[in-house]
Amino acid sequence: MITKLDDLSVELFYEIFIYFQFHEISNIFSNLNSRFTAIASNIPFIRANLGLNGMGIAVTEFYYARLLQPNVCDRLISLCVSHTLTIDNSFWLASNLFAFINLRHLSLIDIKRSCFELMLNTSSLNTSLVIFNVHYTEYYQAAYTFKGVPEGAYYTRIFRLFPLLRVCRLRFWRYIYDALDSQIVLPLNKTFIPIETNHSNLKSFVLRECSPAFLSHLLEYHPQLEELSFDLSTPWLPDKHPLLNNYNNQVSPIDKRLVPNLRRLKITLKYDINAMELLDQLFDHDVLFSLTKFALEGIVTGPNVVSKLLSMLSHQCSYTYIIRWIVKTTIALSNTSSIFLNTLQQLKGRIPIELELCLHNDGYSIDA
């Protein structure tokens, strides 16, 4: 028996359409016959990516016109908007976000600061969005966009605009290296902008760079979190800022009261030596004991930096961990056995460990 394309059910076509962009569906299927035109015109859930994969002006203008049509805008559930050098998609989004009343997933890539603030300041309340993502593909784009912005500057407005968020990924880059103290506007005796609203629905939170003081403050408002991922950093302040002098004295361990439901935790370390020193005392034992998955990644000075934290984990709970670090030192091939032995001594526990060692010109890296 031969099955023709025209014999397939409408529901099956909707399953097929998942693998196509909205403009591709319109171009391929709308002009075949009246049935396909009707199917393509009545997709119940529309997903669109704007500005990705070298999208040209013609396709962009198609989205600008079609997504705002009355019979389309209320069916848009997923939207990814990327700002490009030639097309200001982020300004279009900031001006029209209010129209997408059933939008559930919104991703912003390389969005400009002016457009981001316009969106937060002028958009109306959206009670359908459950996933919100802000991402930057290059460091220089985020540095240019958020230069001199204090930590926590946008959180209150984001939570008020999207009160039903369940997954939030705010990958802001810290850029304060050539900022003046007078350019950083903060509340009295605070190294960050406090959050002023509770958000009871959030389950998963991803932060690119986060200081321990702001993390503790953030968790005060989100005790229901089940998953947390962040890059540990020092405060978003210039090197000579007066609040840095007593910063370490202000940091207290995060206990079970703040994260009673936390089960999955990922911490990333970079070149910040001060942040590395805070790692072992960041979470209380009872928090680590409750984890079902722990991941630690980063560039650190050696296994001794993480040995205390791993010792607490390996003697208290069953878990999965991934440790990755890079040691900047010159070694010979004959030293590999001693490196393996030293690493095993630091990471030994009651579960099997698998190590992978990679040698580089100026050091070595280990995955455990």
Side-chain angles (χ1 to χ4, degrees), residues 35-91:
R35 180 172 184 258
F36 284 111
T37 299
I39 293 174
S41 300
N42 292 281
I43 303 172
F45 304 114
I46 296 174
R47 299 171 176 85
N49 295 331
L50 192 57
L52 300 180
N53 301 321
M55 184 177 292
I57 294 177
V59 176
T60 301
E61 290 178 344
F62 166 86
Y63 278 112
Y64 283 3
R66 289 296 301 276
L67 292 180
L68 293 176
Q69 291 180 352
N71 64 332
V72 174
C73 62
D74 58 353
R75 288 183 284 134
L76 183 68
I77 64 167
S78 178
L79 179 62
C80 179
V81 176
S82 175
H83 176 77
T84 68
L85 295 176
T86 56
I87 306 172
D88 197 350
N89 292 318
S90 53
F91 180 76

Side-chain angles (χ1 to χ4, degrees), residues 315-331:
H315 287 89
Q316 292 189 70
C317 61
S318 298
Y319 64 96
T320 299
Y321 67 76
I322 304 168
I323 304 117
R324 180 173 300 147
W325 64 86
I326 295 177
V327 181
K328 296 290 185 179
T329 183
T330 303
I331 64 170

Side-chain angles (χ1 to χ4, degrees), residues 95-109:
S95 303
N96 296 289
L97 181 60
F98 68 91
F100 309 126
I101 58 175
N102 292 314
L103 190 65
R104 296 177 58 81
H105 180 186
L106 176 61
S107 290
L108 308 178
I109 301 177

Side-chain angles (χ1 to χ4, degrees), residues 232-246:
L232 185 61
S233 75
T234 46
W236 295 24
L237 298 173
D239 292 337
K240 297 182 180 181
H241 196 283
L243 288 177
L244 282 177
N245 296 333
N246 62 347

